[in-house]
Amino acid sequence: LGRHTNGSFVLKKFEARLGAQDQPLSFKKATADFSQKDFEIENVISGKGGGWAIGAADKKNRIRRNAYFTLAKPLELVEEANITFTFRHSDKFPRANLERFRLSVTSAKTVGPAPGLPEDIRTILLTGSAKRDDKQKAKIKDYFLSISPELKEVREALAAAKKAEKTFSDSLPITSVMAELEKPRKTHRHLRGAYLSLAEEVTTGTPAAFHAFPKDQPQTRLGLARWLVDTNNPLTARVMMNRFWEQYFGRGIVETVEEFGKQGEPPSHPELLDWLATEFMRVGWDMKAMHKLIVTSATYRQSSKVSPELLAKDPYNRLLARGPRVRLEAEMIRDQALTVSGLLSHKIGGPSVMPPQPDGLWQVVYSGDKWTTSPGEDKYRRGLYTFWRRTTPYPMMASFDAPSREYCVLKRSRSNTPLQALNTLNDPAFVEAAQALARRVASQPSADLKERVTFAFRTCLSRSPKQKEIERLINLYQTELSNYRKDAKAAEKMSTSELGKAPSGTDLSELAAWTVVANVLLNLDEMITKG
């Protein structure tokens, strides 16, 4: 197109004059199907910039180009006349003049390049149909399908379906998936642990002390998983059942649940552990069935009461002569309080939540994260869903010996400290649970104090209260009721929480007194201890 060595040109100005009088014609608009950066076509009629160029230094731009000039006023000729066109080139780029060009005129009101035609499609169209390969033909077909007016409804339906699919896909949780390498990498023994000092090559395998690896299984993670749950391998089932037992009885049949080797304790009831393991495999590794088996057994359903003689003989209940008596784990203590109060959310799944905790615990210099209490029912979800930060664990759970999760813990310790009592008495979650339980008690149809106390007691402890227990709780209620009748502000403060104000017509003094009774019940040792 141009006379420059790379085939380019730089057009500085384009002029047109009419007839013998040399009357200049002015242009109001100039467009082109392509302009080199900083060398736009508008420069040709405005006189600004460096002119118009097509970037022919790039081989893909060395194709036919079109420029369109629109007159400021329509030109009407009543007789034949000559129009003289003048091309002025830039003196900054010697030899960059036009060489091959064609001039055309039209009476159309608007002219210009095809709207929105992609450069790659335009390039393919200019090559001619005879020279197009199958890939180019397919590209033109796909582009036509994307702009054809006849297919507009189909495209809109397809776009809506894809949007719905994306919305659904985005709603699904993402999890990492392991995949075996097509060609396993070589692994060597390291001399004295130095990763650069390689000894002989090692391959996959299992310890010779255990059962043989199945010959029909691949030596991959999948094969290892099948080897672990092979019926010839009692170890996996024994470890699992020992952990289940430890959760129910406070101690495993093998007390060292974290150590089943030679350094661990021998089982107190080896035949029982063997039977549980084989039964676990027999029912197809059905954990729910094994949980049901344990809790319905005569051993578990025994009373936890102990005589002085038996306590002296078996202080830790290793002989299983009585039922277990174990303090609940941290998450369960909170869940228990929310359950009896009626606040616990039974929603399953979803992201972690942030229940109430004291302000200022997350003020750290290296992070701007803040603890924002979750709204609505998310605030009352099970402890399983509580957001966990290892450097600043949830304080209530830390007080009740929940591990920090900085390392794996198979057996939790159980301490007994005053801080635990302060938590269950004053923690916002427990106070709110007491307020909710008080509203349940106050809403009972019977106005009899004894019946209301019995309802609250049975709700918390799953047993009927003794007469002395009823009398103590009634005395507590009446004392607190008398105090709150003298202090209306204190009664309103005690009965009002995040749950909102008490229902209209409710005696706030009564509700505050029942809140104190509920708070006491939620703090009983029997409430947080199993057995």
Side-chain angles (χ1 to χ4, degrees), residues 272-292:
L272 172 61
L273 184 59
D274 289 343
W275 182 82
L276 287 171
T278 54
E279 185 69 7
F280 190 25
M281 290 188 284
R282 188 189 69 80
V283 298
W285 305 88
D286 189 338
M287 292 190 288
K288 184 178 289 187
M290 297 310 295
H291 283 299
K292 181 179 180 180

Side-chain angles (χ1 to χ4, degrees), residues 17 49 57 96 187 242 283 329 341 356 369 425 476:
R17 294 178 177 274
T187 305
N242 192 62
V283 298
E329 294 181 351
S341 67
D369 295 340
L425 278 170
L476 173 63

Side-chain angles (χ1 to χ4, degrees), residues 103-162:
L103 292 176
S104 302
V105 294
T106 179
S107 59
K109 292 184 178 181
T110 58
V111 293
L117 188 66
E119 186 64 24
D120 56 344
I121 298 297
R122 181 182 181 281
T123 302
I124 295 174
L125 292 174
L126 290 175
T127 60
S129 58
K131 297 181 180 180
R132 295 173 198 154
D133 55 28
D134 292 340
K135 187 176 180 181
Q136 290 175 323
K137 292 177 182 178
K139 199 165 187 177
I140 291 177
K141 179 183 177 182
D142 291 340
Y143 179 71
F144 171 75
L145 295 176
S146 70
I147 63 171
S148 173
E150 292 83 0
L151 298 175
K152 183 180 179 181
E153 292 184 3
V154 178
R155 287 197 301 271
E156 290 176 350
L158 180 61
K162 288 183 177 179

Side-chain angles (χ1 to χ4, degrees), residues 238-302:
R238 283 166 59 89
V239 169
M240 287 290 294
M241 295 314 303
N242 192 62
R243 292 188 185 178
F244 288 178
W245 194 270
E246 190 268 342
Q247 289 175 357
Y248 284 111
F249 287 86
R251 285 182 173 81
I253 299 174
V254 175
E255 187 168 4
T256 53
V257 294
E258 72 281 359
E259 176 56 75
F260 252 67
K262 291 183 178 180
Q263 296 181 0
E265 294 287 333
S268 59
H269 298 72
E271 293 181 356
L272 172 61
L273 184 59
D274 289 343
W275 182 82
L276 287 171
T278 54
E279 185 69 7
F280 190 25
M281 290 188 284
R282 188 189 69 80
V283 298
W285 305 88
D286 189 338
M287 292 190 288
K288 184 178 289 187
M290 297 310 295
H291 283 299
K292 181 179 180 180
L293 177 66
I294 293 175
V295 298
T296 56
S297 66
T299 303
Y300 182 77
R301 290 184 294 159
Q302 294 179 106

